[in-house]
């Protein structure tokens, strides 16, 4: 199974400041068709998980522009350009290049 | 607007069975893979199973293979998860989601508690 690791596991942020989360996979997530199936989700209290970033760097519909993704192969990063109070939550990376689909352990972002 | 609503959760004894349902609306259900994902108390997200549009392909996570069965009824726009031989470690919120390699839309989840 592909093991996904995230650092840090907990992140205290200041509104208006940037923040980033690292995600590393135990195998390359580059698929044979040239696409990389790496995703970022946020889980907020009382809500269902929301897709933020798909295929490493593409912002999903409704995701704020302050969120961006980057990386390749086995190393990926989610960046919030200027944190807002509403960004508090649990952030997960996930891969679906290989079965079983696996998630990172999650990063708690709070103020 | 895509809408997914799970139901069927509840309290069940170890070794018991439960069937979860997910009713979909706002998109052509029969054209999409679907999936189940769970989150145990205090733990992260865990993929459980997914199913192809026409049920010709199903995949399961190792912890549930042989005990859980994913199925769908495209005429009813519904996804199901039959859970047998339930264990305490299966206790979790179970979410259904649309699968396009990403899980792009999720339901609100249904809580399953396995306890004696």
């Amino acid at each position: 199974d592909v093991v996904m690791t995230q650092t840090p596991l907990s992140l205290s942020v200041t509104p208006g400041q940037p923040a980033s989360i690292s995600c590393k996979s135990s195998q390359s997530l580059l698929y044979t068709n040239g696409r990389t199936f790496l995703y970022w989700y946020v889980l907020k209290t009382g809500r269902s998980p929301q897709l933020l970033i798909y295929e490493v760097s593409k912002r999903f519909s409704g995701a704020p522009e302050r969120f961006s993704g980057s990386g390749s192969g086995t190393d990926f990063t989610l960046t919030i350009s200027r944190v807002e109070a509403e960004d508090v939550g649990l952030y997960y990376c996930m891969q679906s290049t290989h079965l079983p689909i696996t998630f990172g352990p999650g990063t708690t972002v709070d103020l | 607007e895509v809408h997914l609503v799970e139901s069927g959760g509840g309290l069940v004894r170890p070794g018991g069975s439960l069937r979860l349902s997910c009713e979909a609306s706002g998109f052509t259900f029969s054209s999409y893979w679907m999936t189940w994902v769970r989150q145990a108390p205090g733990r992260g997200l865990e993929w459980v199973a997914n199913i192809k549009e026409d049920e010709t392909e199903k995949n399961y996570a190792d912890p549930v293979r042989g005990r859980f069965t994913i199925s769908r009824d495209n005429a009813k726009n519904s996804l199901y998860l039959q859970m047998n031989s339930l264990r305490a470690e299966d206790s979790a919120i179970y979410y259904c989601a649309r699968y396009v390699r990403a899980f792009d839309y999720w339901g609100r989840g249904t809580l399953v508690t396995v306890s004696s």
Side-chain angles (χ1 to χ4, degrees), chain B residues 8-73:
Chain B
L11 175 64
V12 61
R13 295 188 185 280
S17 298
L18 214 53
R19 189 194 195 209
L20 305 184
S21 299
C22 171
E23 187 171 338
S25 60
F27 66 102
T28 305
F29 180 74
S30 58
S31 297
Y32 289 86
W33 282 70
M34 296 294 294
T35 195
W36 288 97
V37 178
R38 67 186 181 183
Q39 183 180 27
R43 302 192 64 178
L45 296 171
E46 179 185 26
W47 170 73
V48 174
N50 62 13
I51 184 169
K52 196 174 180 180
E53 300 95 329
D54 58 3
E55 294 195 275
T56 55
E57 186 173 343
K58 303 177 184 181
N59 299 296
Y60 297 92
D62 283 346
V64 308
R65 186 176 292 112
R67 300 186 299 121
F68 289 12
T69 301
I70 190 171
S71 64
R72 63 193 295 163
D73 185 337

Coordinates of all heavy atoms in Angstrom, one line a residue, chain B residues 8-73:
Chain B
G8 N -29.2 4.7 7.3 CA -29.0 3.3 7.7 C -28.1 3.0 8.8 O -27.9 1.9 9.3
G9 N -27.4 4.0 9.3 CA -26.5 3.9 10.4 C -27.2 3.6 11.7 O -28.4 3.7 11.8
G10 N -26.5 3.2 12.7 CA -27.1 2.9 14.0 C -26.2 2.1 14.9 O -25.0 2.0 14.6
L11 N -26.7 1.7 16.0 CA -26.0 0.8 16.9 C -26.2 -0.6 16.6 O -27.4 -1.1 16.5 CB -26.5 1.2 18.4 CG -25.9 0.3 19.5 CD1 -24.4 0.5 19.6 CD2 -26.6 0.7 20.8
V12 N -25.2 -1.4 16.6 CA -25.3 -2.8 16.3 C -24.2 -3.6 17.1 O -23.2 -3.0 17.4 CB -25.0 -3.1 14.7 CG1 -23.6 -2.6 14.3 CG2 -25.3 -4.5 14.4
R13 N -24.6 -4.8 17.5 CA -23.7 -5.6 18.3 C -22.5 -6.2 17.5 O -22.7 -6.4 16.2 CB -24.4 -6.7 19.0 CG -25.5 -6.2 20.0 CD -26.0 -7.4 20.8 NE -27.1 -7.0 21.7 CZ -26.9 -6.4 22.9 NH1 -25.7 -6.2 23.3 NH2 -28.0 -6.0 23.6
P14 N -21.4 -6.4 18.0 CA -20.3 -7.1 17.3 C -20.8 -8.4 16.7 O -21.6 -9.2 17.3 CB -19.3 -7.4 18.4 CG -19.5 -6.3 19.4 CD -21.0 -6.1 19.4
G15 N -20.4 -8.6 15.4 CA -20.9 -9.8 14.7 C -22.2 -9.6 13.9 O -22.6 -10.4 13.1
G16 N -22.8 -8.4 14.2 CA -24.1 -8.1 13.5 C -23.9 -7.5 12.1 O -22.8 -7.4 11.6
S17 N -25.0 -7.2 11.5 CA -25.0 -6.7 10.1 C -25.8 -5.4 10.1 O -26.6 -5.1 10.9 CB -25.7 -7.7 9.2 OG -25.0 -8.9 9.2
L18 N -25.5 -4.6 9.1 CA -26.1 -3.3 8.8 C -26.0 -3.0 7.3 O -25.0 -3.4 6.7 CB -25.4 -2.2 9.6 CG -26.2 -1.0 10.2 CD1 -27.4 -1.5 11.0 CD2 -25.3 -0.2 11.0
R19 N -27.0 -2.4 6.8 CA -27.0 -2.0 5.4 C -27.1 -0.5 5.3 O -28.1 0.1 5.7 CB -28.1 -2.6 4.6 CG -28.0 -2.4 3.1 CD -29.3 -2.8 2.4 NE -29.1 -3.0 0.9 CZ -30.1 -2.7 0.0 NH1 -31.3 -2.4 0.5 NH2 -29.8 -2.9 -1.2
L20 N -26.1 0.2 4.7 CA -26.1 1.6 4.5 C -26.7 1.9 3.1 O -26.4 1.1 2.2 CB -24.7 2.2 4.7 CG -24.0 1.9 6.0 CD1 -22.7 2.7 6.0 CD2 -24.9 2.3 7.2
S21 N -27.3 3.0 3.0 CA -27.8 3.5 1.7 C -27.4 4.9 1.5 O -27.1 5.7 2.4 CB -29.4 3.5 1.7 OG -29.9 2.2 1.8
C22 N -27.3 5.3 0.2 CA -26.9 6.6 -0.2 C -27.7 7.0 -1.4 O -27.6 6.4 -2.4 CB -25.4 6.7 -0.5 SG -24.9 8.3 -1.3
E23 N -28.6 8.0 -1.2 CA -29.4 8.4 -2.3 C -28.8 9.7 -3.0 O -28.4 10.6 -2.3 CB -30.8 8.8 -1.8 CG -31.8 9.1 -2.9 CD -33.2 9.2 -2.4 OE1 -33.5 8.6 -1.3 OE2 -34.1 9.9 -3.1
A24 N -28.7 9.6 -4.3 CA -28.0 10.6 -5.1 C -29.0 11.4 -5.9 O -30.0 10.9 -6.4 CB -27.0 10.0 -6.0
S25 N -28.7 12.7 -6.1 CA -29.5 13.5 -7.0 C -28.6 14.7 -7.5 O -27.5 14.9 -7.0 CB -30.7 14.1 -6.2 OG -30.3 14.9 -5.1
G26 N -29.1 15.3 -8.6 CA -28.4 16.4 -9.2 C -27.3 16.1 -10.2 O -26.6 17.0 -10.7
F27 N -27.2 14.8 -10.5 CA -26.3 14.4 -11.6 C -26.7 13.0 -12.1 O -27.6 12.4 -11.5 CB -24.8 14.3 -11.1 CG -24.6 13.2 -10.0 CD1 -24.0 12.1 -10.4 CD2 -25.0 13.4 -8.7 CE1 -23.7 11.1 -9.4 CE2 -24.7 12.5 -7.7 CZ -24.1 11.3 -8.1
T28 N -26.2 12.6 -13.2 CA -26.5 11.4 -13.9 C -25.8 10.2 -13.1 O -24.7 9.9 -13.4 CB -26.2 11.3 -15.3 OG1 -26.8 12.5 -16.0 CG2 -26.7 10.1 -16.0
F29 N -26.5 9.7 -12.1 CA -25.9 8.7 -11.2 C -25.2 7.5 -12.0 O -24.1 7.1 -11.6 CB -26.9 8.2 -10.2 CG -26.5 7.2 -9.2 CD1 -25.7 7.6 -8.1 CD2 -26.8 5.8 -9.4 CE1 -25.2 6.6 -7.2 CE2 -26.4 4.9 -8.4 CZ -25.6 5.3 -7.3
S30 N -25.9 7.0 -13.0 CA -25.5 5.8 -13.7 C -24.2 6.1 -14.5 O -23.6 5.1 -15.1 CB -26.6 5.4 -14.6 OG -26.9 6.4 -15.6
S31 N -23.7 7.3 -14.6 CA -22.5 7.6 -15.3 C -21.2 7.7 -14.5 O -20.2 8.1 -15.0 CB -22.7 8.9 -16.1 OG -23.7 8.8 -17.1
Y32 N -21.3 7.5 -13.2 CA -20.2 7.7 -12.3 C -19.9 6.5 -11.4 O -20.8 5.9 -10.9 CB -20.5 8.9 -11.4 CG -20.5 10.3 -12.1 CD1 -21.6 10.8 -12.7 CD2 -19.3 11.0 -12.1 CE1 -21.6 12.0 -13.4 CE2 -19.3 12.2 -12.8 CZ -20.4 12.7 -13.4 OH -20.4 13.9 -14.1
W33 N -18.6 6.3 -11.2 CA -18.2 5.5 -10.1 C -18.6 6.1 -8.8 O -18.8 7.4 -8.7 CB -16.7 5.4 -10.1 CG -16.0 4.5 -11.0 CD1 -15.9 4.7 -12.4 CD2 -15.2 3.3 -10.7 NE1 -15.1 3.7 -12.9 CE2 -14.7 2.8 -12.0 CE3 -15.0 2.6 -9.6 CZ2 -14.0 1.7 -12.0 CZ3 -14.2 1.5 -9.6 CH2 -13.7 1.0 -10.8
M34 N -18.8 5.3 -7.8 CA -19.2 5.8 -6.5 C -18.3 5.1 -5.4 O -17.7 4.0 -5.7 CB -20.7 5.5 -6.2 CG -21.6 6.3 -7.1 SD -21.6 8.1 -6.9 CE -22.2 8.3 -5.2
T35 N -18.3 5.7 -4.2 CA -17.4 5.1 -3.2 C -17.9 5.3 -1.8 O -18.8 6.1 -1.6 CB -16.0 5.8 -3.3 OG1 -15.0 5.1 -2.6 CG2 -16.1 7.2 -2.8
W36 N -17.4 4.5 -0.9 CA -17.7 4.7 0.5 C -16.3 5.0 1.2 O -15.3 4.4 1.0 CB -18.3 3.5 1.2 CG -19.7 3.2 0.8 CD1 -20.2 2.4 -0.2 CD2 -20.9 3.8 1.3 NE1 -21.5 2.4 -0.3 CE2 -22.0 3.3 0.7 CE3 -21.1 4.8 2.4 CZ2 -23.3 3.7 1.0 CZ3 -22.4 5.1 2.7 CH2 -23.5 4.6 2.0
V37 N -16.4 6.0 2.1 CA -15.2 6.4 2.9 C -15.7 6.5 4.4 O -16.8 6.9 4.6 CB -14.6 7.7 2.5 CG1 -13.5 8.2 3.3 CG2 -14.2 7.7 1.0
R38 N -14.8 6.1 5.3 CA -15.3 6.2 6.7 C -14.2 7.0 7.6 O -13.1 7.1 7.2 CB -15.5 4.8 7.3 CG -14.2 4.0 7.5 CD -14.6 2.6 7.9 NE -13.4 1.7 8.1 CZ -13.5 0.4 8.5 NH1 -14.7 -0.1 8.7 NH2 -12.4 -0.3 8.6
Q39 N -14.7 7.5 8.7 CA -13.8 8.2 9.6 C -14.2 7.7 11.0 O -15.3 8.0 11.5 CB -14.0 9.7 9.6 CG -13.0 10.4 10.5 CD -13.1 11.9 10.5 OE1 -14.1 12.4 10.2 NE2 -12.0 12.5 10.8
A40 N -13.3 6.9 11.6 CA -13.5 6.4 13.0 C -13.2 7.5 14.0 O -12.5 8.5 13.7 CB -12.6 5.2 13.2
P41 N -13.8 7.4 15.2 CA -13.6 8.5 16.2 C -12.2 8.7 16.5 O -11.4 7.8 16.7 CB -14.4 7.9 17.4 CG -15.4 7.0 16.9 CD -14.7 6.4 15.6
G42 N -11.7 10.0 16.3 CA -10.3 10.3 16.6 C -9.3 9.8 15.6 O -8.1 9.9 15.8
R43 N -9.8 9.3 14.5 CA -8.9 8.8 13.5 C -9.2 9.6 12.1 O -10.1 10.3 12.0 CB -9.1 7.3 13.3 CG -8.9 6.6 14.6 CD -8.8 5.1 14.4 NE -7.6 4.7 13.5 CZ -7.3 3.5 13.2 NH1 -8.0 2.5 13.6 NH2 -6.2 3.2 12.5
G44 N -8.3 9.3 11.2 CA -8.4 10.0 9.9 C -9.4 9.3 8.9 O -10.1 8.4 9.3
L45 N -9.4 9.8 7.7 CA -10.3 9.3 6.7 C -9.7 8.0 6.2 O -8.5 7.8 6.0 CB -10.4 10.3 5.5 CG -11.1 11.6 5.9 CD1 -11.0 12.6 4.7 CD2 -12.6 11.4 6.2
E46 N -10.6 7.0 5.9 CA -10.2 5.7 5.4 C -11.1 5.3 4.2 O -12.3 5.2 4.4 CB -10.2 4.7 6.5 CG -9.8 3.3 6.0 CD -10.0 2.2 7.1 OE1 -10.8 2.4 8.0 OE2 -9.3 1.2 7.1
W47 N -10.5 5.0 3.1 CA -11.3 4.5 2.0 C -11.8 3.1 2.3 O -11.1 2.3 2.8 CB -10.5 4.6 0.7 CG -11.1 3.9 -0.5 CD1 -12.2 4.3 -1.2 CD2 -10.7 2.6 -1.0 NE1 -12.5 3.4 -2.2 CE2 -11.6 2.3 -2.1 CE3 -9.7 1.7 -0.7 CZ2 -11.5 1.2 -2.8 CZ3 -9.6 0.5 -1.5 CH2 -10.5 0.3 -2.5
V48 N -13.1 2.8 1.9 CA -13.7 1.5 2.2 C -13.8 0.7 0.9 O -13.4 -0.5 0.9 CB -15.0 1.7 2.9 CG1 -15.7 0.4 3.1 CG2 -14.8 2.4 4.3
A49 N -14.5 1.2 -0.1 CA -14.8 0.5 -1.3 C -15.3 1.4 -2.4 O -15.7 2.5 -2.1 CB -15.9 -0.6 -1.0
N50 N -15.1 1.0 -3.6 CA -15.7 1.8 -4.7 C -16.3 0.8 -5.8 O -16.1 -0.4 -5.7 CB -14.8 2.8 -5.3 CG -13.5 2.1 -5.9 OD1 -13.5 0.9 -6.1 ND2 -12.5 3.0 -6.2
I51 N -17.2 1.4 -6.6 CA -17.9 0.6 -7.6 C -18.1 1.3 -8.9 O -18.3 2.5 -8.9 CB -19.3 0.2 -7.0 CG1 -20.1 -0.8 -7.9 CG2 -20.1 1.4 -6.7 CD1 -21.3 -1.4 -7.2
K52 N -17.9 0.6 -10.0 CA -18.0 1.1 -11.3 C -19.4 1.4 -11.6 O -20.3 0.9 -11.0 CB -17.4 0.2 -12.3 CG -17.1 0.8 -13.7 CD -16.4 -0.2 -14.6 CE -16.1 0.3 -15.9 NZ -15.4 -0.6 -16.8
E53 N -19.6 2.2 -12.7 CA -21.0 2.6 -13.1 C -21.9 1.5 -13.3 O -23.1 1.5 -12.9 CB -20.9 3.4 -14.4 CG -20.1 4.7 -14.3 CD -18.7 4.5 -14.8 OE1 -18.1 3.4 -14.7 OE2 -18.1 5.5 -15.4
D54 N -21.4 0.4 -13.9 CA -22.3 -0.7 -14.3 C -22.1 -1.9 -13.3 O -22.5 -3.0 -13.7 CB -22.1 -1.1 -15.7 CG -20.6 -1.5 -16.0 OD1 -19.8 -1.5 -15.0 OD2 -20.3 -1.8 -17.2
E55 N -21.4 -1.7 -12.2 CA -21.2 -2.8 -11.2 C -20.2 -3.9 -11.7 O -20.0 -4.9 -11.0 CB -22.5 -3.4 -10.7 CG -23.4 -2.5 -10.0 CD -24.4 -3.3 -9.2 OE1 -25.5 -3.6 -9.8 OE2 -24.2 -3.6 -8.0
T56 N -19.6 -3.7 -12.8 CA -18.7 -4.7 -13.3 C -17.3 -4.7 -12.6 O -16.5 -5.6 -12.8 CB -18.4 -4.6 -14.9 OG1 -17.9 -3.2 -15.1 CG2 -19.7 -4.8 -15.6
E57 N -17.0 -3.7 -11.9 CA -15.8 -3.6 -11.1 C -16.1 -3.1 -9.7 O -16.7 -2.0 -9.6 CB -14.8 -2.8 -11.8 CG -13.4 -2.8 -11.1 CD -12.3 -2.1 -11.9 OE1 -12.5 -1.8 -13.2 OE2 -11.3 -1.7 -11.3
K58 N -15.6 -3.8 -8.7 CA -15.7 -3.3 -7.3 C -14.3 -3.5 -6.7 O -13.7 -4.5 -6.9 CB -16.7 -4.2 -6.6 CG -18.1 -4.1 -7.2 CD -19.1 -5.0 -6.5 CE -20.5 -5.1 -7.1 NZ -21.4 -5.9 -6.4
N59 N -14.0 -2.6 -5.8 CA -12.7 -2.7 -5.1 C -13.0 -2.4 -3.6 O -13.8 -1.6 -3.3 CB -11.7 -1.6 -5.6 CG -11.4 -1.8 -7.1 OD1 -10.8 -2.8 -7.5 ND2 -11.7 -0.8 -7.9
Y60 N -12.2 -3.1 -2.8 CA -12.4 -3.1 -1.4 C -11.0 -2.8 -0.6 O -10.0 -3.3 -1.1 CB -13.0 -4.3 -0.8 CG -14.4 -4.6 -1.3 CD1 -14.6 -5.4 -2.5 CD2 -15.5 -4.1 -0.7 CE1 -15.8 -5.7 -2.9 CE2 -16.8 -4.4 -1.1 CZ -16.9 -5.2 -2.3 OH -18.2 -5.4 -2.7
A61 N -11.1 -2.1 0.5 CA -9.9 -2.0 1.4 C -9.8 -3.4 2.1 O -10.8 -4.1 2.4 CB -10.1 -0.9 2.4
D62 N -8.5 -3.7 2.4 CA -8.3 -5.0 3.1 C -9.1 -5.2 4.3 O -9.6 -6.4 4.6 CB -6.8 -5.2 3.4 CG -6.0 -5.5 2.1 OD1 -6.6 -5.9 1.1 OD2 -4.7 -5.4 2.2
P63 N -9.2 -4.2 5.2 CA -9.9 -4.5 6.5 C -11.4 -4.9 6.3 O -12.0 -5.4 7.3 CB -9.8 -3.1 7.2 CG -8.6 -2.5 6.6 CD -8.7 -2.9 5.2
V64 N -12.0 -4.6 5.2 CA -13.4 -4.9 5.0 C -13.7 -6.0 3.9 O -14.8 -6.5 3.8 CB -14.2 -3.7 4.6 CG1 -13.9 -2.5 5.6 CG2 -14.0 -3.2 3.2
R65 N -12.7 -6.4 3.2 CA -12.9 -7.4 2.1 C -13.4 -8.7 2.7 O -12.8 -9.2 3.7 CB -11.6 -7.6 1.3 CG -11.7 -8.5 0.1 CD -10.5 -8.6 -0.7 NE -10.1 -7.3 -1.4 CZ -9.1 -6.6 -1.0 NH1 -8.2 -7.0 -0.1 NH2 -8.8 -5.5 -1.7
G66 N -14.4 -9.2 2.1 CA -15.0 -10.5 2.5 C -16.1 -10.3 3.6 O -16.9 -11.2 3.8
R67 N -16.2 -9.1 4.1 CA -17.3 -8.8 5.1 C -18.3 -7.7 4.6 O -19.4 -7.8 4.9 CB -16.7 -8.3 6.4 CG -15.7 -9.2 7.1 CD -15.3 -8.7 8.5 NE -14.6 -7.4 8.4 CZ -15.0 -6.3 9.0 NH1 -16.1 -6.3 9.8 NH2 -14.2 -5.2 8.9
F68 N -17.8 -6.8 3.8 CA -18.6 -5.7 3.3 C -18.8 -6.0 1.8 O -18.0 -6.5 1.1 CB -17.9 -4.4 3.4 CG -17.9 -3.8 4.9 CD1 -18.1 -4.7 5.9 CD2 -17.5 -2.5 5.1 CE1 -18.0 -4.2 7.2 CE2 -17.4 -2.0 6.4 CZ -17.7 -2.9 7.4
T69 N -20.0 -5.5 1.3 CA -20.3 -5.6 -0.1 C -20.9 -4.3 -0.6 O -21.9 -3.8 0.0 CB -21.4 -6.8 -0.4 OG1 -20.8 -8.0 0.0 CG2 -21.6 -6.9 -1.9
I70 N -20.3 -3.7 -1.6 CA -20.8 -2.5 -2.2 C -21.7 -2.9 -3.4 O -21.4 -3.8 -4.1 CB -19.7 -1.6 -2.6 CG1 -20.2 -0.2 -3.0 CG2 -18.8 -2.2 -3.7 CD1 -19.1 0.9 -3.2
S71 N -22.8 -2.1 -3.5 CA -23.7 -2.4 -4.7 C -24.4 -1.1 -5.0 O -24.3 -0.1 -4.3 CB -24.7 -3.5 -4.4 OG -25.5 -3.1 -3.3
R72 N -25.1 -1.1 -6.1 CA -25.9 0.1 -6.5 C -27.1 -0.3 -7.3 O -27.2 -1.4 -7.8 CB -25.0 1.0 -7.4 CG -24.5 0.4 -8.6 CD -23.4 1.2 -9.3 NE -23.8 2.6 -9.7 CZ -23.0 3.6 -9.9 NH1 -21.7 3.4 -9.8 NH2 -23.5 4.8 -10.3
D73 N -28.1 0.6 -7.3 CA -29.3 0.5 -8.2 C -29.4 1.8 -9.0 O -29.9 2.8 -8.4 CB -30.5 0.2 -7.3 CG -31.8 -0.1 -8.1 OD1 -31.8 0.4 -9.2 OD2 -32.7 -0.7 -7.5

